[in-house]
Amino acid sequence: VLLVAVALAGLRASRARTAAPLALVAGFPLLLGSVVLTRFDLYPAALVAGVLAAFVHRRDRLGFGLLGTAVVVKLYPAVLVPLAVAYVWRRRGRREALLGLSLLAAVVVLAYLPFLVLAPDGVAHSIGHQLSRPLQLESLGSALYLAAHHLVGLNVEMRSGHGSQNLHGRGTGVAAVLFSLAALAVLVWVWLRRPGTAEELVRWSAAALVAFVALGKVLSPQFLIWLVPVVPVVAGVRGLRASVLLVGALVLTQLWFPSRYWELARELDLLPSLLVLARDLVLVALLVVLVTDSRRESARSP
């Protein structure tokens, strides 16, 4: 909460704009449920909040250092690196952007170097293990397959592997690849927005994180924690709509996880299947809100 407040202060947000995001960040564990207590994702999410706070206060080198630390803790903040580089490049020039990128790379290399020296095969196996994961049960692709299973009797089954429960059936392997490519394509498009202001950096950072979560082949409940410190900070009507959709996604997740999870995993039960599909579609709607411009959108908050 404190780091989000610091970021909002750097954006010169009014009291009215500040109150709602802080309330959401403080209260989101009640919306998402017990998964918050059983995962360590609060740590990288807090680091990402610190990254944004540093950049909006123009402490660019600190921002790059924190971003490198966040990538070391959990790889997902890497989707913010191109945006951070573009933001600093446009504001302070190529030299400062490349210097910051070098600092980030140094943090990552220093953290991984002992493991690369002592167990290079282990590091390679870990990375390959993550990249080769199949279509996870709660992802958007899986939710669409489950909908087809209930509507037209499409034959699918759950198989455990790679540390998760995954959906297997005709074409699920291809679907996993296609959704990964779709996520990458959207991320590249977001990166090319090249934010030049702090407000733009927040908006496109939120969009990058939501695209990575919503369109990937893996979507675990704790991934929603990654969105909480960033999405509510987005300005204007867009930010309000995005926050409402985020609340919806959090609540929908708690409605089936963990209480109905094994009904979904073992029996592919209809109710949790519908709840997962609804949650995933809400995340897609959240992405659309973040990346599209509305003529009716009001001026940004002061």
Side-chain angles (χ1 to χ4, degrees):
V1 176
L2 177 61
L3 291 171
V4 173
V6 172
L8 287 165
L11 295 169
R12 300 183 183 276
S14 65
R15 290 185 179 180
R17 179 184 167 187
T18 300
L22 294 184
L24 176 52
V25 174
F28 91 91
L30 298 176
L31 302 174
L32 184 57
S34 61
V35 67
V36 176
L37 303 175
T38 58
R39 304 294 190 276
F40 77 96
D41 294 78
L42 286 173
Y43 181 26
L47 286 170
V48 168
V51 168
L52 289 181
F55 279 123
V56 300
H57 282 277
R58 302 197 172 192
R59 300 291 299 275
D60 298 330
R61 296 182 187 180
L62 175 61
F64 278 113
L66 288 174
L67 185 51
T69 305
V71 171
V72 169
V73 172
K74 197 151 189 173
L75 287 174
Y76 82 86
V79 302
L80 304 180
V81 173
L83 295 171
V85 172
Y87 172 67
V88 175
W89 193 311
R90 290 189 63 183
R91 281 181 41 251
R92 301 184 61 185
R94 179 179 64 180
R95 182 179 181 277
E96 189 64 29
L98 294 179
L99 182 62
L101 183 60
S102 299
L103 175 61
L104 183 153
V107 171
V108 174
V109 169
L110 286 174
Y112 276 97
L113 187 60
F115 303 100
L116 288 170
V117 171
L118 296 174
D121 292 340
V123 174
H125 173 75
S126 176
I127 295 173
H129 182 78
Q130 293 299 320
L131 293 177
S132 63
R133 292 184 68 171
L135 195 65
Q136 193 251 359
L137 190 62
E138 303 145 70
S139 65
L140 176 60
S142 175
L144 294 174
Y145 264 90
L146 287 171
H149 168 71
H150 289 290
L151 285 173
V152 299
L154 181 67
N155 186 27
V156 292
E157 63 177 350
M158 185 277 288
R159 297 180 187 174
S160 294
H162 292 75
S164 64
Q165 284 67 52
N166 312 298
L167 201 69
H168 285 261
R170 185 176 181 180
T172 54
V174 174
V177 173
L178 291 177
F179 272 93
S180 296
L181 292 175
L184 179 59
V186 174
L187 282 171
V188 171
W189 184 85
V190 169
W191 294 336
L192 292 176
R193 301 310 95 194
R194 300 180 65 245
T197 67
E199 295 284 13
E200 290 175 352
L201 176 65
V202 170
R203 173 192 174 184
W204 294 115
S205 294
L209 290 172
V210 173
F212 185 72
V213 170
L215 302 180
K217 61 181 178 179
V218 178
L219 205 177
S220 296
Q222 65 268 23
F223 289 9
L224 272 68
I225 298 173
W226 307 349
L227 310 181
V228 172
V230 185
V231 170
V233 184
V234 176
V237 174
R238 176 186 290 110
L240 177 60
R241 292 172 178 170
S243 295
V244 170
L245 289 168
L246 177 59
V247 168
L250 294 169
V251 172
L252 284 167
T253 300
Q254 184 173 184
L255 289 177
W256 63 268
F257 188 90
S259 60
R260 294 184 173 90
Y261 178 74
W262 290 109
E263 295 175 18
L264 173 68
R266 292 172 178 160
E267 303 171 20
L268 306 182
D269 193 67
L270 176 60
L271 178 57
S273 297
L274 291 175
L275 290 171
V276 170
L277 178 61
R279 189 277 309 272
D280 292 351
L281 292 177
V282 167
L283 288 174
V284 173
L286 171 55
L287 177 60
V288 171
V289 166
L290 290 170
V291 302
T292 56
D293 292 316
S294 173
R295 294 180 181 179
R296 296 182 180 181
E297 185 175 4
S298 61
R300 290 174 178 170
S301 301

